């Protein structure tokens, strides 16, 4: 029997369609005025954290709301260190040239001669990951020739290796140079920024108002209900409303058939999880990486027995896709239910699976039952 498809109920919160994904919803602390630290605690207790902003498009979407106050706290705060390695190791060796007055943030590439260069973090470059060694397997390096921004390179290295490479000596610098000789310049794990996001996210987007951030005030408020949405460095003890966020992805760690999983997601959340974009895929990969599962996990993917095309459980057509092998499974050989791999050579790729097999599964949206 072909299972009917269900429409998702829209969340009452504002869910952003810009980066990082459609799973992210933002919440204003309406009529609650707090210091930055109190706002951070409130957001972490009731949602996920203070909001990170990734782009001008997202800033305009989530801040173009009249809140009754012209400003809200966001998750940006001055950090203790302006230069840091991606993996948190202390910077005790450098081959950087002077930053020639460029505005931060900026990130570091290694050139063919082994010297380092500071460039805009949004540029796309190859990058060097490292794999943490042990007694029998020493530290190793892996050059990724795909070109990505620094933040995307960091995300890739953390998902598939250990992290972007850090360098602590001239000997290590020479080894990294040799490994990357075919793709110079390439990203290494050094980033220069005086600011960091409350949730630890990597976003180098800044939208400072003229004259900001200055040297004294350490927390950031964003203007709302206007066309500019500019940011102002403010005293952390000032009181404003806050902008919180929560990612509405739910990894259900009980095994069910595809149709039983569909029923569960519709009854307890807003529906079976769907993936609409590369941003959705990347956000889901991060969640699955943290969950430490193995084997395929059900998505809200189903194939029409009659027409052979794939569709999401809420009735949406499949636009962007990430099928194993690069093309969707076709009848008559395909199974008609879809899953995402969490391990093995096809990690995070989509595949068709027998609908009667039992797997973990993914729901999205608010918990509508209070479970």
């Amino acid at each position: 029997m072909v299972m009917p498809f269900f429409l998702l109920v829209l969340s009452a919160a504002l869910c952003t369609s810009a980066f990082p994904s459609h799973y992210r919803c933002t919440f204003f602390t309406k009529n609650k005025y707090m210091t930055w630290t109190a706002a951070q605690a409130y957001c972490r207790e009731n949602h996920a954290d203070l909001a990170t902003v990734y782009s001008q498009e997202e800033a305009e979407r989530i801040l173009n709301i009249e809140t009754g106050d012209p400003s809200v706290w966001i998750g940006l705060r001055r950090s203790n260190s302006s230069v840091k390695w991606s993996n948190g190791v202390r910077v005790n060796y450098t081959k950087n040239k002077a930053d020639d007055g460029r505005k931060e943030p900026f990130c570091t590439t290694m050139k063919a001669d082994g010297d380092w260069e500071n460039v805009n973090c949004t540029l796309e470059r190859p990058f060097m990951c490292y794999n943490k060694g042990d007694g029998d397997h020493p530290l190793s390096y892996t050059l990724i020739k795909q070109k990505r921004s620094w933040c995307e390179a960091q995300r890739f290295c953390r998902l598939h290796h250990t992290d972007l490479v850090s360098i602590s000596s001239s000997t290590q610098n020479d080894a990294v140079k040799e490994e990357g000789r075919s793709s110079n310049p390439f990203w290494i794990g050094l980033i220069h920024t005086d600011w960091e996001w409350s949730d630890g996210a990597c976003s180098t987007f800044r939208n400072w108002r003229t004259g900001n951030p200055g040297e004294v005030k350490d927390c950031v408020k964003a203007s709302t209900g206007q066309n500019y949405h500019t940011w102002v460095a403010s005293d952390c003890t000032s009181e404003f409303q806050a902008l919180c966020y929560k990612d509405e992805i739910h990894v259900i760690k009980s095994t069910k058939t595809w149709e039983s999983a569909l029923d569960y997601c519709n009854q307890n959340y807003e529906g079976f999880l769907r993936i609409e974009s590369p941003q959705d895929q990347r956000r889901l990969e991060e969640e699955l990486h943290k969950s430490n599962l193995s084997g395929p996990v059900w998505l809200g993917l189903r194939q029409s027995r009659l027409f052979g095309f794939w569709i999401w459980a809420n009735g949406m057509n499949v636009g962007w896709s990430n099928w194993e092998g690069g093309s969707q499974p076709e009848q008559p050989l395909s199974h008609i239910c879809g899953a995402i791999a969490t391990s093995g050579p096809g990690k995070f790729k989509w595949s068709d699976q027998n609908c009667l097999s039992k797997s973990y599964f993914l729901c999205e949206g608010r918990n509508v039952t209070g479970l």
Side-chain angles (χ1 to χ4, degrees):
M1 181 182 70
V2 178
M3 196 71 180
F5 298 111
F6 295 86
L7 294 176
L8 291 176
V9 178
L10 292 177
S11 173
L14 174 65
C15 296
T16 65
S17 59
F19 188 88
S21 75
H22 86 266
Y23 309 129
R24 177 155 294 190
C25 295
T26 53
F27 306 83
F28 287 98
T29 57
K30 189 173 182 180
N31 298 324
K32 293 181 182 294
Y33 294 83
M34 296 169 280
T35 66
W36 190 94
T37 301
Q40 180 190 54
Y42 177 91
C43 290
R44 288 177 174 179
E45 180 178 354
N46 293 280
H47 303 292
D49 212 319
L50 277 165
T52 297
V53 185
Y54 291 88
S55 67
Q56 185 67 39
E57 179 186 3
E58 187 181 31
E60 292 174 1
R61 176 169 168 77
I62 65 179
L63 293 168
N64 195 25
I65 292 178
E66 295 293 344
T67 64
D69 191 89
S71 301
V72 293
W73 289 125
I74 58 174
L76 198 61
R77 185 171 185 173
R78 198 182 298 272
S79 62
N80 294 325
S81 173
S82 62
V83 183
K84 60 204 76 173
W85 289 109
S86 174
N87 62 2
V89 172
R90 184 176 178 179
V91 178
N92 55 18
Y93 173 84
T94 182
K95 289 180 70 68
N96 276 105
K97 298 289 192 298
D99 65 26
D100 59 32
R102 75 178 75 237
K103 289 188 67 175
E104 59 89 23
F106 51 90
C107 298
T108 301
T109 61
M110 180 179 285
K111 301 189 296 182
D113 60 4
D115 281 344
W116 304 354
E117 182 178 17
N118 301 327
V119 298
N120 189 311
C121 301
T122 63
L123 296 176
E124 295 189 340
R125 297 285 186 269
F127 52 98
M128 187 72 72
C129 304
Y130 78 93
N131 299 288
K132 189 175 182 180
D134 55 33
D136 297 321
H137 301 88
L139 182 76
S140 62
Y141 309 115
T142 302
L143 176 69
I144 309 299
K145 295 185 179 181
Q146 301 169 14
K147 294 182 178 180
R148 303 195 179 193
S149 69
W150 192 92
C151 285
E152 281 296 294
Q154 180 195 62
R155 188 196 69 84
F156 182 95
C157 289
R158 288 178 173 180
L159 284 176
H160 299 282
H161 301 277
T162 299
D163 210 323
L164 275 167
V165 69
S166 60
I167 300 172
S168 59
S169 68
S170 59
T171 300
Q172 188 178 14
N173 194 75
D174 289 342
V176 171
K177 179 184 73 172
E178 178 64 20
E179 186 65 32
R181 63 188 181 279
S182 62
S183 294
N184 297 103
F186 55 85
W187 292 124
I188 59 175
L190 198 64
I191 185 169
H192 303 244
T193 176
D194 291 330
W195 300 84
E196 60 189 3
W197 293 98
S198 176
D199 64 355
C202 187
S203 171
T204 58
F205 172 73
R206 304 289 186 265
N207 199 32
W208 296 115
R209 187 175 299 177
T210 301
N212 279 273
E215 301 294 332
V216 179
K217 297 177 180 178
D218 293 339
C219 295
V220 178
K221 64 178 182 179
S223 57
T224 63
Q226 303 174 22
N227 292 326
Y228 301 105
H229 317 295
T230 51
W231 303 355
V232 175
S234 301
D235 190 323
C236 300
T237 61
S238 299
E239 295 188 347
F240 300 103
Q241 296 177 82
L243 182 63
C244 309
Y245 82 89
K246 186 175 184 179
D247 283 325
E248 301 288 2
I249 300 174
H250 306 278
V251 180
I252 310 302
K253 294 184 178 180
S254 62
T255 59
K256 295 182 182 294
T257 65
W258 190 93
E259 292 185 358
S260 294
L262 172 68
D263 289 340
Y264 182 94
C265 289
N266 284 328
Q267 292 168 9
N268 297 285
Y269 297 93
E270 293 179 6
F272 226 151
L273 185 134
R274 68 189 189 277
I275 302 173
E276 299 178 10
S277 66
Q279 290 81 12
D280 283 356
Q281 174 77 21
R282 289 193 285 266
R283 180 65 195 92
L284 178 58
E285 288 176 8
E286 292 169 357
E287 195 65 31
L288 291 174
H289 181 70
K290 292 188 297 184
S291 299
N292 197 30
L293 301 177
S294 61
V297 177
W298 288 130
L299 298 170
L301 271 173
R302 188 73 177 264
Q303 188 180 36
S304 168
R305 292 183 187 271
L306 180 60
F307 299 107
F309 56 78
W310 287 83
I311 195 168
W312 293 108
N314 70 338
M316 290 177 58
N317 291 328
V318 175
W320 183 87
S321 63
N322 192 41
W323 292 107
E324 186 175 7
S327 60
Q328 68 178 30
E330 301 285 355
Q331 293 181 349
L333 299 178
S334 60
H335 298 293
I336 65 168
C337 293
I340 184 170
T342 57
S343 58
K347 189 174 183 181
F348 303 134
K349 294 291 186 179
W350 308 356
S351 64
D352 60 311
Q353 300 289 331
N354 187 328
C355 302
L356 298 179
S357 61
K358 292 187 175 182
S359 297
Y360 299 128
F361 57 99
L362 298 156
C363 305
E364 68 173 74
R366 293 174 299 115
N367 185 323
V368 296
T369 64
L371 291 176

